[in-house]
């Protein structure tokens, strides 16, 4: 079975502080992993995918197959990073399996 | 260019009514997906089309749910005899390739369905 777990429903940090949003997955094969973000009153959009190994808006995520994790990190959070973040897995088919999401609030 | 559009944006239905939700994908996108997002949850897969072929409908919760994409472009998700548990945001997404590739799914704004 494919499953994505985001253990934190809510995460609050101060501007300039480091932030880490946790994501663990369950899948027997080699997954493709993504982070999607939804800003207030906007549609869900792709933030980054592990295969491209890129940094978007200062965020990075490393796939750790040993720990089956794909945590999202940013060294210095900004107020505009406040949003809902969803980790998603694609394994063996085109569909995405999402976690329940983490609401990040960056306080001034 | 234009993104994925969905209509209506909001729908209120009385229990037992039938509803139809429309999705217009990005022009030329081969793949189209429907997801259901209940309050406080992540999106959950319902069904997937490659062109007009429905390749996966494993996520449809009951036989009251039906989706079609007859010409490989616009898609309609129909829910018959709506129940209160059908209340959710229904998201449509499209991507530019079908099989084997890892292509970004572009999401629409969603249709918020409320069943009274």
């Amino acid at each position: 079975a494919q499953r994505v777990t985001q253990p934190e429903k809510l995460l609050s940090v101060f501007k300039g502080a480091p932030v880490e949003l946790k994501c663990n997955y369950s899948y027997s094969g080699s997954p493709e992993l993504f982070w999607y973000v939804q800003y207030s009153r906007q549609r869900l959009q792709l933030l980054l995918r592990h295969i491209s190994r890129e940094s978007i808006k200062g965020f990075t995520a490393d796939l750790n197959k040993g720990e089956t994790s794909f945590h999202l990190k940013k060294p210095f959070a900004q107020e505009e990073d406040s949003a809902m973040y969803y980790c998603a897995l694609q394994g063996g088919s085109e569909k995405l399996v999402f976690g329940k999401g983490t609401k990040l609030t960056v306080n001034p | 260019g234009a993104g994925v559009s969905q209509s209506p944006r909001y729908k209120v239905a009385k229990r037992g009514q039938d509803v139809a939700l429309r999705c217009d994908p990005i022009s030329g996108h081969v793949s189209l997906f429907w997801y259901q997002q209940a309050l406080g949850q992540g999106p959950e897969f319902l069904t997937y089309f490659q062109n007009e072929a429905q390749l996966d409908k494993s996520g449809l919760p009951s036989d009251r749910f039906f989706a079609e994409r007859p010409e490989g472009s616009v898609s309609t998700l129909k829910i018959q005899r709506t129940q209160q548990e059908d209340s959710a945001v229904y998201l449509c997404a499209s991507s530019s390739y079908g099989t084997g590739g890892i292509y970004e799914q572009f999401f629409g704004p969603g249709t918020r369905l409320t069943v009274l």
Side-chain angles (χ1 to χ4, degrees):
Chain A
Q2 301 175 16
R3 187 164 46 244
V4 175
T5 303
Q6 294 179 251
E8 303 137 331
K9 197 168 185 176
L10 302 170
L11 185 60
S12 183
V13 301
F14 286 102
K15 177 182 172 182
V19 63
E20 181 180 53
L21 291 88
K22 290 184 168 54
C23 172
N24 289 87
Y25 67 90
S26 174
Y27 178 59
S28 57
S30 290
E32 304 301 337
L33 285 152
F34 307 82
W35 277 98
Y36 277 80
V37 62
Q38 187 167 27
Y39 301 103
S40 179
R41 293 188 176 82
Q42 294 187 27
R43 62 186 66 189
L44 199 59
Q45 58 186 285
L46 180 65
L47 180 63
L48 56 81
R49 69 191 86 181
H50 94 271
I51 196 170
S52 59
R53 301 188 63 80
E54 55 194 346
S55 172
I56 304 294
K57 299 184 179 182
F59 284 97
T60 59
D62 288 320
L63 176 60
N64 185 323
K65 291 187 177 181
E67 296 183 358
T68 60
S69 68
F70 188 57
H71 303 327
L72 184 68
K73 300 177 184 179
K74 185 169 182 177
F76 307 103
Q78 303 299 314
E79 289 180 67
E80 55 265 30
D81 296 328
S82 296
M84 280 295 299
Y85 290 81
Y86 295 94
C87 183
L89 175 155
Q90 188 181 51
S93 71
E94 306 300 321
K95 70 181 182 185
L96 291 170
V97 176
F98 286 89
K100 292 187 177 183
T102 297
K103 183 175 182 179
L104 174 64
T105 302
V106 181
N107 300 297
Chain B
V4 178
S5 61
Q6 294 185 244
S7 61
R9 293 292 312 279
Y10 303 90
K11 177 70 179 177
V12 178
K14 291 183 179 178
R15 191 161 55 112
Q17 282 185 331
D18 298 349
V19 298
L21 312 180
R22 178 189 168 105
C23 172
D24 284 82
I26 293 172
S27 178
H29 275 193
V30 170
S31 298
L32 186 146
F33 304 82
W34 284 98
Y35 295 86
Q36 180 191 58
Q37 187 172 20
L39 190 63
Q41 304 294 314
E44 291 193 4
F45 171 78
L46 292 176
T47 187
Y48 156 58
F49 291 85
Q50 186 174 328
N51 296 307
E52 68 278 5
Q54 190 174 18
L55 298 187
D56 187 348
K57 53 181 181 179
S58 62
L60 296 177
S62 77
D63 58 7
R64 296 187 295 105
F65 287 70
F66 172 77
E68 59 184 6
R69 193 186 185 198
E71 297 179 356
S73 178
V74 171
S75 177
T76 304
L77 177 67
K78 297 179 180 178
I79 309 173
Q80 297 177 325
R81 304 182 303 281
T82 52
Q83 303 295 315
Q84 285 189 320
E85 61 263 28
D86 300 335
S87 295
V89 175
Y90 290 84
L91 297 170
C92 177
S94 69
S95 70
S96 61
Y97 191 75
T99 305
I102 306 161
Y103 290 82
E104 178 179 352
Q105 292 187 22
F106 293 85
F107 282 81
T111 295
R112 183 178 296 277
L113 173 65
T114 302
V115 181
L116 303 176

